[in-house]
Amino acid sequence: MVEVTVTPQSSLADRPVQVQVRGLSPSQLVTLRASLTDEQGECFQARAFFHADREGEVDPGRHAALGGSYAGVWPMGLFWFLQPDTLFRRLVKRDVAGSPFLVRLEVFDGLCLVTGPQDQLLASCEAERWYVGPGVQRVPIREGRVRGALFLPP
């Protein structure tokens, strides 16, 4: 049984996570895809192609991506290389304290350049990426022409 995990499942957006896929056949070619929908409903995606190792595992922190949104060993590549489905959109989190970005990670059998109904989904999971830690207080700043926010630790 194929399984994809993100450790930790819930984390701050600037903290690294570890993505691992287990239960594959040795040398199996798979596509890992990360996707999220922002607060305006815009979809962002990144994908990378991997060959499983002898144990049937894929770890982007140890194994080089063969192509896709990036190539080489990038432990956070699926998160860093998220691109919008619509050109010229930017990934911006407006409600930083109220909710996380939910990043869906999926593993597909073979090469999947454009995911369609014919592609075989092997496993999936979700990761929460928060922009404000628990107990942090947000104080709006308005002084003259200066606008901003001060984030105070608990």
Side-chain angles (χ1 to χ4, degrees):
M1 181 174 139
V2 178
E3 176 187 35
V4 60
T5 58
V6 178
T7 308
Q9 186 270 331
S10 182
S11 64
L12 291 173
D14 64 345
R15 300 284 188 233
V17 295
Q18 183 179 24
V19 177
Q20 287 189 310
V21 182
R22 293 185 180 92
L24 300 167
S25 301
S27 298
Q28 182 176 352
L29 182 62
V30 294
T31 300
L32 267 99
R33 180 178 73 168
S35 62
L36 70 82
T37 302
D38 72 3
E39 295 157 332
Q40 279 72 44
E42 191 66 43
C43 187
F44 292 77
Q45 297 184 57
R47 67 186 72 233
F49 314 124
F50 293 92
H51 274 293
D53 64 14
R54 290 185 302 229
E55 288 78 38
E57 296 181 358
V58 169
D59 179 349
R62 293 185 300 123
H63 304 120
L66 306 173
S69 300
Y70 66 95
V73 178
W74 291 81
M76 294 293 294
L78 290 168
F79 295 86
W80 290 342
F81 290 96
L82 287 166
Q83 294 293 314
D85 286 354
T86 305
L87 291 177
F88 308 114
R89 300 287 185 187
R90 290 186 353 184
L91 184 58
V92 176
K93 182 72 171 141
R94 303 225 183 268
D95 180 18
V96 295
S99 64
F101 271 141
L102 295 176
V103 181
R104 182 169 175 80
L105 293 160
E106 299 169 311
V107 182
F108 294 94
D109 188 30
L111 291 176
C112 297
L113 297 174
V114 178
T115 309
Q118 75 280 1
D119 296 315
Q120 183 182 357
L121 178 65
L122 300 176
S124 66
C125 71
E126 277 193 341
E128 293 180 352
R129 303 293 282 170
W130 290 89
Y131 282 77
V132 175
V136 172
Q137 179 184 2
R138 182 180 188 273
V139 179
I141 304 294
R142 295 178 97 77
E143 185 67 37
R145 294 177 16 190
V146 175
R147 302 290 181 266
L150 173 65
F151 293 89
L152 297 171

